[in-house]
Amino acid sequence: MTSVTAVPALAVRGATKRFGAVLALDGVDLEVHRGQVVALLGDNGAGKSTLIKCISGVHQLDDGVIEMDGLPTAIHSPAQARDLGIETVYQDLALFDNLGPAANFYAGREAAGPRWLPTWLRVLDRKGMASRTTELLDRLQVGLPDMSSQVGLLSGGQRQAVAVARAAAFASKVVILDEPTAALGLRESRRVLDLINRLRERDHAVIVISHALDHVMDIADRAVVLRRGRKVGEEVPTRENQQRIVSLIVGGEG
Amino acid sequence: MEQSTGASRDSGVTATPVEHGPETTGRSQRDGYRGLQLGLTVLRIGPLLILLAVAVALSFLSPFFLTTRNLGNVMAATAAIAVLSLGQLLVILTRGIDLSVGSTLALASVVGALVFTTVDSGPVVILAMLATGLLVGTVNGIVYVKGRLPHPFIITLAMLSIARGLALWLSGGQPIRGMPPVVDSIGGGSIGWFPVSAILILGIAFLVFVLTTRIVWGRWIYAVGGNPEAARRTGIPVNKVLISVYVLSGLMAGVAGIITAGRLDAGSPTFGELAELDSIAAVVIGGASFLGGRGNVLNALVGAVMIGVIRNGMNLLAVDAFFQLIIIGVVIVLAVEADVLRGHLEDRFRVFEAARS
């Protein structure tokens, strides 16, 4: 069922990015296949966020290529990344607290008609959006107390789940999660990790930035470690090599 | 046993289809949860409840209050504030403010009166007034967005001054008597005891209601108010949405100009003084939040009617006009406090939500 095919859903080869004199990324390689969760590790300033932002179209690479399903692809803007099937959940979640889950799911891409009207004048398909949102949340086993209440009334974990589910709903290829458990308690973290596992089962390619190594052990198939803009290691994270991964991150001799 | 009663009480109250994990919350927490939900619901429909309470109280205090003639008066007197507050609502939904609407109302009435002195056509006069409002609103929106101002307060404050100055200059500081019959009947006419202006307001309110709840554009207005940064990231045309609410607010000021000019059969540079504050007060009394993204058409109308009813009631009871200002000020403070209380209850609600899940 899980199709870890020969061609990765997303491959970054020789990614290089400079900000003035600072070399933020220096020839980094990264591959993610469908049905795979790859953790991106590294200390602050290691280049994780820069790499993510290059993939999601916020920054452009100075050198190197991004391949989608084996085809070299230039990503110039966040909108283009989304069109290519890459969705990113940033730490701030980018949720609209004053709106309900369905409105959040479809913000900026509302289902509406008729087609002969300009987009902004179309009539919202409120029932359609609500039922598809409910269906998707059910499929990902995200239980919300009330589908009509605003997202601002949800707990931190529920909000994270809504943001992740929204990304999964629209990402045909890659879901990128930036510190999905950083602000959550123990139980709520567990829920979000379960959710990430379900994304894998549903054949998404998932990239997760996380500082929580025990979470990484739980969910990631591979861990890519960056330090000062370079890739310094790639491991299958297990309890046994946790120490080694830590020393890769901090740069001690491991 | 304690657990099962807890669970059934919960599903009865909140209609929660999905329960996670073991039941850990106790009875007092359940009661707290239910209390929070009740409190939030009351706050949501609060403005309407208060308006009804005020109306019932006035109907006991004054035999004239509930007469059709008086109700018609209240509606006609409130119409201009009501239409301004509809525009103001859209602006406040996007975290903005439009201080220029009172002056724009006056400018529109003066322009209409001047046009009427040369062109004897009702439709042309009406179009001239609408165009005046539209133009002022467009300038507000474009200068705010394209000028990259940090907040619309300054540009609309400047426009408050500019539009009033233009109205005074164009009119020579004097009211200009005379409006076409169609304008007079929009502002001052009635069908039976029901004012034509009130019918117009209901029509416009319905359109704004449809815009804000059924149309993509309206959804974007709420999204921009709720989280401008996220709106930008999801590809919503934030700048266009922002400009559009000032354009609509200006247009509503033009409509308010028509209503006021028709009611008094004149255009005057002194119309609509402090009307911007009335419209902001109406929206705030209606429970909209200055932090953006919260508020709706019905409550904004309720806020406008509340101001009208309080003024009317105190006139009927022969309360000193000075006290009217004080009372309306107190109502505004109460409304804002209710908004603060709502924020507090919602914080508590989130904590419960985290504990329950």
Side-chain angles (χ1 to χ4, degrees):
Chain A
M1 183 61 212
T2 42
S3 51
V4 182
T5 46
V7 182
L10 173 84
V12 182
R13 302 195 199 287
T16 302
K17 177 73 186 174
R18 284 181 200 85
F19 294 107
V22 180
L23 193 56
L25 290 176
D26 185 5
V28 174
D29 295 336
L30 178 73
E31 279 191 2
V32 204
H33 291 80
R34 288 176 174 279
Q36 217 179 37
V37 177
V38 172
L40 201 51
L41 305 178
D43 211 342
N44 293 338
K48 298 168 303 195
S49 295
T50 307
L51 182 57
I52 293 295
K53 284 179 177 164
C54 289
I55 298 171
S56 60
V58 177
H59 296 321
Q60 277 78 52
L61 288 176
D62 292 325
D63 210 350
V65 287
I66 296 174
E67 293 176 5
M68 303 285 299
D69 289 326
L71 299 173
T73 311
I75 301 175
H76 296 297
S77 71
Q80 197 190 355
R82 281 200 304 272
D83 289 343
L84 290 165
I86 302 169
E87 292 281 336
T88 309
V89 181
Y90 291 101
Q91 275 186 61
D92 66 5
L93 302 184
L95 290 174
F96 302 93
D97 281 346
N98 58 330
L99 299 174
N104 266 282
F105 263 56
Y106 285 91
R109 47 193 158 200
E110 288 82 3
R115 288 192 166 275
W116 51 266
L117 281 173
T119 312
W120 56 277
L121 260 185
R122 289 181 190 164
V123 179
L124 294 163
D125 175 15
R126 299 192 305 161
K127 275 187 190 150
M129 289 192 281
S131 70
R132 281 196 293 279
T133 303
T134 309
E135 187 188 310
L136 199 105
L137 288 172
D138 284 350
R139 224 189 298 155
L140 291 171
Q141 296 166 45
V142 177
L144 296 185
D146 181 358
M147 277 301 295
S148 62
S149 77
Q150 345 163 1
V151 169
L153 289 177
L154 300 177
S155 72
Q158 289 167 335
R159 287 159 51 77
Q160 183 79 46
V162 169
V164 173
R166 173 175 65 178
F170 293 98
S172 55
K173 297 199 174 86
V174 183
V175 179
I176 301 171
L177 307 173
D178 189 0
E179 296 275 6
T181 57
L184 302 182
L186 216 57
R187 262 186 325 150
E188 296 212 309
S189 292
R190 192 63 255 162
R191 286 268 184 68
V192 170
L193 297 179
D194 289 344
L195 180 56
I196 295 171
N197 275 324
R198 284 193 284 276
L199 296 188
R200 175 194 2 239
E201 287 159 20
R202 303 187 57 75
D203 244 10
H204 285 289
V206 184
I207 300 173
V208 180
I209 291 183
S210 182
H211 282 298
L213 277 184
D214 42 337
H215 293 166
V216 171
M217 307 293 143
D218 275 0
I219 53 164
D221 300 293
R222 279 182 298 122
V224 171
V225 184
L226 300 184
R227 193 168 73 235
R228 292 189 196 157
R230 313 180 86 132
K231 179 163 147 184
V232 292
E234 180 159 352
E235 303 273 338
V236 175
T238 58
R239 300 282 163 211
E240 289 70 44
N241 64 9
Q242 185 165 357
Q243 270 315 310
R244 179 176 150 64
I245 289 176
V246 170
S247 57
L248 280 174
I249 292 171
V250 298
E253 303 309 314
Chain B
M1 199 205 125
E2 178 61 39
Q3 284 186 0
S4 65
T5 51
S8 65
R9 282 161 60 97
D10 172 62
S11 58
V13 173
T14 64
T16 307
V18 189
E19 272 296 326
H20 295 289
E23 197 66 35
T24 52
T25 43
R27 171 170 298 206
S28 63
Q29 270 187 296
R30 293 253 163 264
D31 288 345
Y33 185 78
R34 195 164 61 163
L36 279 178
Q37 283 204 320
L38 185 68
L40 286 172
T41 307
V42 168
L43 284 177
R44 213 163 300 155
I45 56 169
L48 190 57
L49 292 180
I50 294 171
L51 176 62
L52 288 177
V54 170
V56 168
L58 283 176
S59 66
F60 279 111
L61 289 172
S62 164
F64 297 109
F65 179 73
L66 270 188
T67 59
T68 51
R69 181 156 161 232
N70 185 54
L71 290 181
N73 272 340
V74 173
M75 280 192 268
T78 313
I81 299 175
V83 73
L84 289 180
S85 64
L86 289 173
Q88 193 72 253
L89 169 71
L90 298 176
V91 171
I92 287 179
L93 280 176
T94 63
R95 306 186 174 188
I97 194 165
D98 188 348
L99 294 172
S100 70
V101 291
S103 301
T104 308
L105 183 166
L107 180 60
S109 78
V110 166
V111 168
L114 286 176
V115 167
F116 186 53
T117 57
T118 50
V119 187
D120 185 13
S121 158
V124 170
V125 170
I126 287 177
L127 279 179
M129 290 199 259
L130 293 179
T132 304
L134 201 69
L135 188 70
V136 173
T138 308
V139 171
N140 277 339
I142 287 181
V143 173
Y144 167 44
V145 171
K146 301 292 178 188
R148 302 183 186 198
L149 300 183
H151 196 274
F153 189 98
I154 300 300
I155 172 58
T156 59
L157 179 65
M159 190 56 83
L160 177 153
S161 185
I162 293 169
R164 184 74 67 189
L166 277 176
L168 284 164
W169 175 58
L170 288 174
S171 64
Q174 297 297 318
I176 304 166
R177 299 225 59 89
M179 276 286 153
V182 58
V183 173
D184 284 341
S185 50
I186 290 175
S190 58
I191 297 171
W193 59 272
F194 206 87
V196 174
S197 56
I199 298 172
L200 178 67
I201 299 304
L202 288 178
I204 293 174
F206 178 74
L207 288 179
V208 179
F209 173 79
V210 170
L211 166 68
T212 50
T213 59
R214 299 293 191 273
I215 304 292
V216 172
W217 180 15
R219 178 60 61 76
W220 287 350
I221 290 174
Y222 278 91
V224 168
N227 191 340
E229 187 48 43
R232 207 159 259 138
R233 258 191 259 156
T234 51
I236 292 171
V238 174
N239 286 347
K240 287 180 187 166
V241 170
L242 285 175
I243 292 173
S244 76
V245 294
Y246 292 92
V247 172
L248 283 181
S249 181
L251 185 65
M252 295 300 176
V255 175
I258 294 171
I259 291 172
T260 308
R263 204 157 109 83
L264 302 169
D265 190 37
S268 166
T270 59
F271 282 172
E273 272 175 344
L274 298 183
E276 62 280 347
L277 299 188
D278 279 344
S279 70
I280 294 166
V283 172
V284 170
I285 290 172
S289 170
F290 261 103
L291 301 176
R294 286 165 177 281
N296 62 57
V297 169
L298 178 67
N299 277 348
L301 277 187
V302 166
V305 173
M306 184 121 56
I307 291 176
V309 164
I310 290 174
R311 284 199 181 133
N312 171 260
M314 286 191 283
N315 284 337
L316 290 179
L317 300 176
V319 176
D320 196 318
F322 303 144
F323 281 106
Q324 296 186 18
L325 290 172
I326 296 171
I327 297 280
I328 287 173
V330 170
V331 172
I332 293 172
V333 172
L334 289 178
V336 173
E337 256 329 297
D339 192 45
V340 172
L341 178 64
R342 176 175 63 186
H344 181 66
L345 289 184
E346 286 182 356
D347 281 344
R348 299 260 306 275
F349 196 87
R350 267 190 289 275
V351 173
F352 270 100
E353 208 50 76
R356 273 159 37 88
S357 61

